[in-house]
Amino acid sequence: MRIARPGPSGIPSRRGLAWIMSLFSVMMLLPAAARADNPIVQTVYTADPAPLVHNGRVYLYTGHDEDGSTYFTMKEWRVWSSADMVNWTDHGSPLSVSSFSWAGADAWAGQAIHRNGRFYWYVPTKNRATGRMAIGVAVSDSPTGPFKDAIGRPLVENGEIDPTVFVDDNGQAYLYWGNPNLWYVKLNADMTSYSGSPTKIPLTTAGFGTRTGDANRPTLFEEAPWVYKRGGLYYNVFAAKCCSEFIAYSTAPGPTGPWTYRGTIMPTQGGSFTNHAGVIDFAGNSYFFYHNGALPGGGGFTRSVAVERFAYNADGTIPVINMTATGAPQVGTLNPYVRQEAETIAWESGVETEPSSGGGMNVGYIENGDHIKVKGVAFGAGAKTFTARVASGSGGGRIELRLDGVNGALAGTCAVPGTGGWQSWTTVSCGVNGATGTHDLYFRYTGGSGYLFNVDWWQFGSDGPTATPTPTPTITPTVTPTATPAPGGACDATYRTTGSWSGGHQGEVTVTAGASAIDGWTVRWNLGGGQTVSQVWGGTLSTTGSAVSVSNASYNGSLQPSASTTFGFLAGGAPSAPSLTCAAS
């Protein structure tokens, strides 16, 4: 069992007994284990998937079942995203029960939608004043939040749950929800109010199938509606017949009916007595999201989201879809030569994610032998360097870069030093050898006992030193400052060497604003004999002869008084202690 380690906010890890079991245990539970990519999130339990396609990515909004739950114990909602349907980035929790001043408990199944340049997230939660479930609406300018309560009160309240939202071709938006009934209202263009009163959709056996054995509920409709339109036909996908539930659907010529029952999509299966579906089209394919209990410790109250690709029948009907461990195939490949968040994961063993002090999330709680798989990484003609942003409150460890398996070909090894804190970040680099073409990339973490280090992001480079294929580290990191600060003024700059190897080195520069805020900065220094700068992250590089100039990136130019930002660079030649100048722009 893992001992809780405080994160950046001092809150300990919440991994429970369910996560004692290793990845090997997961593989023993799932068929086609060698290619397993379902469930798509393994770091926490997730439920009630609500996918949204926006600007070439799929954003996935989920609930979060707490470890060891014996009821639907859910305190927050979470967001993930992917451009390829297999590598999913964790964006943390931008919305929780506490985001609604009037809510008391239960972060249950919701859905987000984009309209008017903003993102609206409709969620059911318990109204503290009435003790009933109500539907709230939160809003954000970003698909990953943070979200805030849009109206300061429930949007609608009748004790029922599971909202789904749909905007028709004519611009009319509809909100549907319900258990045991099925309701809708017409939303106004502002998406935070509605016209008329909630309307109950007739639950007829012709529209929603026949349930036997329960005189109070003659139809199969149970909960979790998901309404959308395709090819002029309206679809209502829902959880059917408790318990255990299966996924069924109905269709209609209009958004309010009349509905015709069409049959089963996903039969009862998967170790959870509930199920909850979301359906999207993305990159020319159709996808069906659902949840099951497939992870260690999983069940009806500890669920996990999974996805399958499918194709509609020629007449628009949906085929029967079964749960698999393989999941959906990858769309395209992943580019390793741009910065990738460490919490972008196809499969993992042992790690967790946590909020990072620099914003976003980082991978943490890493122990010896833990690993992460990133699927379908396109190295092309070949990578030569690897760089990662790391922190360690202990003695650090090593990142092994392996291809096509956790014990696959070793392409490089990066040493990670102790940095003095779990959120005290530095950048390390190492050479890479043999990483050509497209491979599944495995980060295998090694070191001593206890927690080793955290990783915030990583990136490969196509030029620089080439690694010798050996498991020993190819760089000698140091965190001894060699900074020469610039005189006081608009901004100061300090430098330190963070790693070196035969023929090259890597460093980072911290820019600090003076007594006044600045809207941009440029740091300059001169290269010593034989030195070159080949790559900069967190800034824009310009060189003229031996003169180096690095200006701010778009996201880190504005600094408040005394605030700091850091950029890193990769260089050829031996390290030195340059004299820096910093100017505001």
Side-chain angles (χ1 to χ4, degrees), residues 373-412:
K373 177 181 111 174
V374 181
K375 192 169 183 178
V377 178
F379 293 105
K384 298 295 183 65
T385 60
F386 172 78
T387 302
R389 189 72 168 167
V390 296
S392 176
S394 62
R398 296 174 298 279
I399 304 174
E400 295 181 1
L401 310 174
R402 294 189 175 270
L403 306 179
D404 300 320
V406 69
N407 294 311
L410 183 67

Side-chain angles (χ1 to χ4, degrees), residues 34-122:
R35 296 185 296 137
D37 292 306
N38 261 342
I40 59 178
V41 174
Q42 308 93 42
T43 50
V44 295
Y45 294 120
T46 54
D48 306 322
L52 168 68
V53 177
H54 179 70
N55 284 351
R57 291 186 73 84
V58 176
Y59 291 87
L60 180 63
Y61 300 82
T62 75
H64 172 204
D65 288 336
E66 295 291 331
D67 291 357
S69 292
T70 56
Y71 182 64
F72 300 111
T73 307
M74 307 171 78
K75 304 175 182 178
E76 64 183 11
W77 296 270
R78 297 188 65 127
V79 182
W80 325 80
S81 73
S82 178
D84 61 12
M85 296 303 295
V86 295
N87 297 302
W88 291 89
T89 301
D90 185 351
H91 298 286
S93 172
L95 185 68
S96 67
V97 170
S98 63
S99 301
F100 300 94
S101 61
W102 49 269
D106 301 333
W108 287 2
Q111 185 185 352
I113 194 168
H114 177 245
R115 195 178 192 191
N116 307 324
R118 309 190 81 187
F119 297 84
Y120 300 87
W121 197 347
Y122 301 86

